[in-house]
Amino acid sequence: MNKRDFLKLSGLSLASSVLPATALAASNHSSENALKPSSLSSLESITTGIEPISSDERVRRIKKAQEIMKSLNIAALVLEPGAAMDYFSGIQWWRSERLTALIIPQQSEVAVVCPFFEEPSIRETLQVGKDVRVWQEHESPFKQVKAILKDRGINKGKIAFEESVRYFVLQGVMAELSDMEHVSAEPVTRGCRMYKSLHELQLMHKANEVTLKAYEHVWQQLQVGMSQSQVVGLMKQAQSQLGGSGAWALALFNEASAYPHGTREEQTIREGSVVLMDSGCTVHGYRSDISRTFVFGEANSKQRKIWNTVHKGQMIAFEKAQIGTAAGKVDDSVRAFYQSQGFGPEYKLPGLSHRTGHGIGMETHESVNFVHGETTPLQLGMCFSNEPGIYIPGEFGVRLEDCLYMGEKGAQWFTEPPASLEQPLGKLAPMPV
C-alpha cells in the first residue's frame, strides 16, 4: 500500500483531554466498544462556511506571475491541467491525450485552449478571463496556442513550460513557434505558489483540523484484530464526514511500520502493536498531511525510546526552521542528532531513510524540501511537513508528522505534535492571523 496511491482531504479541532493509551487498550477489549458503522454518525462537518479562493485573488496571482515573467524576459507561460492551472485560473481538469492548456502572456489577459466538446465544462470552474479557444478532433490544438499568442503580439522571445508538461505538448507548441525559445516556468510558478497568503494558510489550517479530529476519532476505535484496510477505511470516512475532500490514509502495523510507505503484507493489531498512520485531506484545494504513531496497549522500553527520539527530532527541526536558514540545514540538524543517538549515519538504517520534510500546499509534495543540500533560504509564507521518522527493519518504525508555515518569527505549527506516547494525538495550533 503506497501513500501516493491515495487522494487528499480537509479540516479539524481536538478535544482537550485524552485517555491514557493503557486505559484505551483495556476499554477496546470490551464488547461495548466494538466498532460499529454508526460510530461515524457523531462526526459533523467543520468546513461549512469556509470561503474558497476568489476570482480577485486569482487575478492578483496572475499579476504577480506577469511581474516575475517581465523580470525574466519570459513572453508567455503554457500550463497543463494540474495545481498550477487551478492556482491561477480555478480550472479543475485532468490530463489526457487531448490538450487543455492555460496561456498566461506577460501582458494582457489569459486564455484557454480546450477541445470543442469540453468548453462548457471548462467554463464551469474558470474564474478569470473569457478567451477560450476550442479545437475540433481533426484539428491541431497547437495552432490555437499560436493564434492566442499572435493576437497578443507575441511571435518571438521565451515561452515557459513547467517541468511536468508532457513532451508531445512541448514538441507540438514549439513546432508552431519556431522563432521562440522554450525555458522553464518553475521560477514563475514556484515564485508564486511557494509563498502562501493568509487565506491559503487558513485553508491549510482547516484541512489539518479535519485530519487531526479524524485521528482523535479513529484512535478511540482501535481494537485487537483490526486490519490495516479497516483502519484506512475508517480514517478516510472520518475525514470525509468532517468535511474534508479527497481523503487518503495509510496504516502500518508491527513490522510493516518499518517501511515508510508500507508493504503488501497484511498486518493486524495485537497487544503491543506499533500503529503508524499517515493521513490527509483537502479543503478548497489545500492539503493536510499528518502522521501519528501509537502503541496499542503497553509500550516496551525500546518502542518508548524510539518514539521519544523521534519526538525530539521533530522539535530540533522546528527550532532550526528560521527565516533565512537554508532548507537543507533543517534536515542536517536532525541527522546530526540521530547520529549522536546511534542511528544512521545519513540515510542508513536503522535511522531516517527519507528527507525530514517536503513543501506542501495545493499538492501534498511541493518545492522546496527539508533535505540535505537544499540551499533555498526559508522565507515568509513557505509551508512544510516536519516528519523525521526512525525505521528499524524487521522490528518497527515511528513517524510523527505535523505541518508548519514560516511566520515572521520563524516556524509556526498548523498542528502541535503530541506531548507523549500516553497522549499521542497533539492539538490544533492557533489559526494564522
Side-chain angles (χ1 to χ4, degrees):
M1 185 181 301
N2 190 304
K3 173 179 176 180
R4 296 175 187 272
D5 291 339
F6 297 102
L7 301 175
K8 325 298 183 200
L9 169 66
S10 78
L12 159 76
S13 79
L14 188 64
S16 59
S17 62
V18 292
L19 290 170
T22 51
L24 174 67
S27 69
N28 278 336
H29 283 296
S30 169
S31 61
E32 297 175 4
N33 289 288
L35 180 62
K36 301 180 181 67
S38 60
S39 67
L40 290 165
S41 63
S42 62
L43 302 180
E44 297 181 353
S45 174
I46 59 173
T47 63
T48 303
I50 302 299
E51 292 293 328
I53 299 298
S54 68
S55 57
D56 287 344
E57 288 174 281
R58 298 187 197 280
V59 168
R60 290 195 292 271
R61 292 170 173 182
I62 290 169
K63 288 181 178 178
K64 181 177 179 180
Q66 290 174 325
E67 290 171 1
I68 298 173
M69 292 164 65
K70 186 175 182 180
S71 70
L72 298 174
N73 196 28
I74 292 174
L77 195 68
V78 177
L79 299 175
E80 282 204 87
M85 179 181 284
D86 186 358
Y87 179 86
F88 289 110
S89 71
I91 295 174
Q92 297 170 7
W93 206 246
W94 62 90
R95 299 187 186 193
S96 73
E97 75 280 8
R98 297 182 174 97
L99 178 67
T100 294
L102 175 70
I103 315 301
I104 303 179
Q106 187 190 110
Q107 301 179 50
S108 72
E109 71 169 355
V110 303
V112 179
V113 172
C114 71
F116 167 76
F117 63 91
E118 302 286 22
E119 181 183 1
S121 300
I122 290 291
R123 288 190 182 275
E124 283 183 345
T125 54
L126 175 63
Q127 292 187 21
V128 293
K130 298 179 181 179
D131 189 357
V132 178
R133 309 285 179 100
V134 301
W135 56 279
Q136 303 290 354
E137 292 279 63
H138 67 285
E139 297 175 331
S140 168
F142 308 114
K143 293 186 181 298
Q144 291 289 22
V145 176
K146 181 179 182 179
I148 288 169
L149 296 181
K150 181 180 178 182
D151 289 348
R152 288 154 177 77
I154 301 172
N155 54 26
K156 61 182 179 180
K158 299 176 182 178
I159 184 168
F161 299 84
E162 284 195 301
E163 293 174 359
S164 64
V165 167
R166 293 167 295 175
Y167 179 69
F168 86 89
V169 175
L170 175 65
Q171 184 185 46
V173 171
M174 296 312 299
E176 294 290 337
L177 300 168
S178 57
D179 291 334
M180 298 193 73
E181 172 191 2
H182 67 82
V183 297
S184 173
E186 301 302 315
V188 180
T189 55
R190 283 178 52 175
C192 294
R193 292 181 56 208
M194 273 202 306
Y195 312 106
K196 275 63 177 181
S197 67
L198 176 59
H199 191 181
E200 290 176 289
L201 295 177
Q202 290 170 339
L203 291 174
M204 292 177 69
H205 185 269
K206 181 57 68 174
N208 279 277
E209 184 183 358
V210 168
T211 300
L212 188 55
K213 193 166 184 63
Y215 269 119
E216 179 191 22
H217 176 80
V218 171
W219 184 66
Q220 295 175 14
Q221 302 294 332
L222 297 180
Q223 304 173 53
V224 167
M226 287 183 73
S227 69
Q228 295 172 148
S229 58
Q230 284 178 305
V231 175
V232 164
L234 184 59
M235 187 66 185
K236 291 167 69 175
Q237 286 178 302
Q239 292 184 89
S240 297
Q241 194 85 358
L242 288 160
S245 61
W248 60 274
L250 182 68
L252 307 174
F253 305 159
N254 310 316
E255 294 86 352
S257 63
Y259 299 88
H261 287 166
T263 72
R264 292 181 180 273
E265 183 180 347
E266 270 294 323
Q267 299 273 347
T268 57
I269 296 177
R270 57 179 186 257
E271 282 295 331
S273 284
V274 169
V275 177
L276 191 163
M277 296 182 64
D278 192 349
S279 305
C281 68
T282 302
V283 171
H284 291 313
Y286 287 82
R287 301 178 184 268
S288 61
D289 191 1
I290 301 174
S291 295
R292 291 291 181 259
T293 301
F294 314 127
V295 174
F296 188 87
E298 193 67 38
N300 63 40
S301 59
K302 188 169 187 177
Q303 291 168 337
R304 189 175 300 281
K305 178 182 178 181
I306 299 304
W307 195 99
N308 288 336
T309 302
V310 171
H311 183 267
K312 177 66 174 177
Q314 245 198 329
M315 295 304 165
I316 288 172
F318 182 79
E319 291 164 5
K320 187 66 175 181
Q322 298 293 322
I323 298 294
T325 298
K329 296 298 182 182
V330 176
D331 184 80
D332 293 343
S333 67
V334 174
R335 292 187 195 279
F337 167 64
Y338 281 178
Q339 188 169 345
S340 75
Q341 302 300 302
F343 298 102
E346 299 174 340
Y347 296 91
K348 292 182 180 179
L349 295 173
L352 175 55
S353 55
H354 56 73
R355 62 199 172 198
T356 293
H358 53 77
I360 187 169
M362 293 183 72
E363 296 175 288
T364 306
H365 291 177
E366 296 184 353
S367 298
V368 295
N369 299 308
F370 289 152
V371 66
H372 176 71
E374 177 57 68
T375 60
T376 302
L378 302 182
Q379 297 182 48
L380 196 67
M382 286 183 167
C383 298
F384 301 91
S385 71
N386 178 354
E387 50 179 313
I390 290 179
Y391 308 95
I392 306 173
E395 296 187 46
F396 65 92
V398 173
R399 180 162 69 249
L400 302 174
E401 176 185 15
D402 294 270
C403 290
L404 59 85
Y405 61 94
M406 299 307 300
E408 292 181 355
K409 296 182 180 180
Q412 303 292 319
W413 296 112
F414 287 109
T415 54
E416 295 181 14
S420 68
L421 193 50
E422 286 71 35
Q423 295 180 315
L425 295 171
K427 65 180 182 180
L428 187 67
M431 176 81 77
V433 293

